[in-house]
Amino acid sequence: MNNKKLVLYMSLIVIFVHSGLLQASSIWGKRSKSTKTLYSDDVARQIGDVLTIKISESSTVDNKAKRDLSKETGRSTSFNGELGNFTDIGEYGMEASSSNGLTSKADYKDERSFIDNVTVVVVDILPNGNLIVMGNRERDIAGDIQTVEISGIVRPSDIKFDNTVMSEQVADFHLTTKNDGVSAPYTKQGWLGAILDLIWPF
């Protein structure tokens, strides 16, 4: 009987010792600022939070202009050569005509599309709760470097449950792409061609 009591006492002591080392996970337990709340999500709300912008931008420009202007002017003058009863200098006539014309045609069409996902950081919060975000992404593939820079204002209600927002829902949206590396010289106009475009009149 004494042995059973001894085993029981030892078991209780072990339980109390280990319970002191365990951290309580109760919903009423004291939490620090870095502890995630029980019902919190991963949606960006504070400065330093991140969210992903799904970029789906496309633009189409199709401008056409045509002008056809013409102007014609004609004038004729004739004189019979008589100056009163004393002098006759012979008949005299003059005709003049002029014409001016302008025909021009311009056709410009540009279609562009950009699809990507870029994660940005909340850098500030406006008084109304909207988030100012900014971020960039750089890719280096076999020497070809592409840099994407993004900034804008995001309304918290537009952020989806998976912490993403569409680019068309971002106010004051700025998207800048820069290309550098091996292929960059082949996609840019040469210096001589740029000079000729400046001085060539047509």
Side-chain angles (χ1 to χ4, degrees):
M1 191 69 170
N2 293 332
N3 291 335
K4 292 182 178 179
K5 289 183 178 181
L6 181 60
V7 172
L8 179 60
Y9 291 150
M10 293 298 293
S11 300
L12 292 174
I13 292 173
V14 172
I15 292 174
F16 285 130
V17 171
H18 283 282
S19 64
L21 300 176
L22 297 177
Q23 296 181 353
S25 59
S26 170
I27 59 175
W28 295 282
K30 185 177 180 181
R31 299 176 181 272
S32 64
K33 294 182 179 180
S34 61
T35 304
K36 187 177 180 180
T37 59
L38 185 62
Y39 301 104
S40 65
D41 53 23
D42 293 327
V43 176
R45 291 286 187 270
Q46 304 296 328
I47 295 177
D49 291 348
V50 299
L51 62 92
T52 301
I53 297 181
K54 293 185 175 181
I55 305 172
S56 180
E57 297 290 325
S58 61
S59 61
T60 302
V61 179
D62 191 358
N63 291 332
K64 294 182 179 180
K66 184 179 180 180
R67 291 183 177 182
D68 191 357
L69 305 176
S70 62
K71 180 180 180 181
E72 295 183 0
T73 302
R75 181 178 296 273
S76 63
T77 302
S78 61
F79 180 63
N80 59 7
E82 295 182 358
L83 296 176
N85 298 324
F86 304 99
T87 306
D88 186 359
I89 61 174
E91 294 184 358
Y92 173 77
M94 181 180 68
E95 293 184 359
S97 63
S98 64
S99 63
N100 188 11
L102 171 64
T103 302
S104 64
K105 182 179 181 182
D107 190 354
Y108 175 76
K109 187 174 184 180
D110 187 11
E111 295 183 2
R112 299 187 182 188
S113 178
F114 189 88
I115 299 174
D116 201 350
N117 294 332
V118 178
T119 300
V120 296
V121 180
V122 179
V123 296
D124 199 2
I125 301 177
L126 297 177
N128 61 357
N130 290 341
L131 311 176
I132 299 178
V133 298
M134 185 179 299
N136 63 77
R137 171 170 290 179
E138 183 177 306
R139 299 181 179 92
D140 187 346
I141 303 175
D144 289 330
I145 302 174
Q146 182 190 53
T147 303
V148 181
E149 298 177 353
I150 289 180
S151 63
I153 301 174
V154 177
R155 188 170 54 183
S157 59
D158 291 332
I159 304 176
K160 298 181 181 179
F161 68 93
D162 59 350
N163 199 34
T164 62
V165 63
M166 300 301 297
S167 60
E168 61 263 23
Q169 295 175 312
V170 180
D172 198 18
F173 183 64
H174 291 270
L175 171 64
T176 304
T177 60
K178 301 177 182 178
N179 294 308
D180 197 3
V182 178
S183 62
Y186 298 94
T187 58
K188 296 179 180 179
Q189 187 180 28
W191 62 269
L192 181 58
I195 294 176
L196 291 177
D197 285 342
L198 290 176
I199 63 177
W200 192 251
F202 301 105

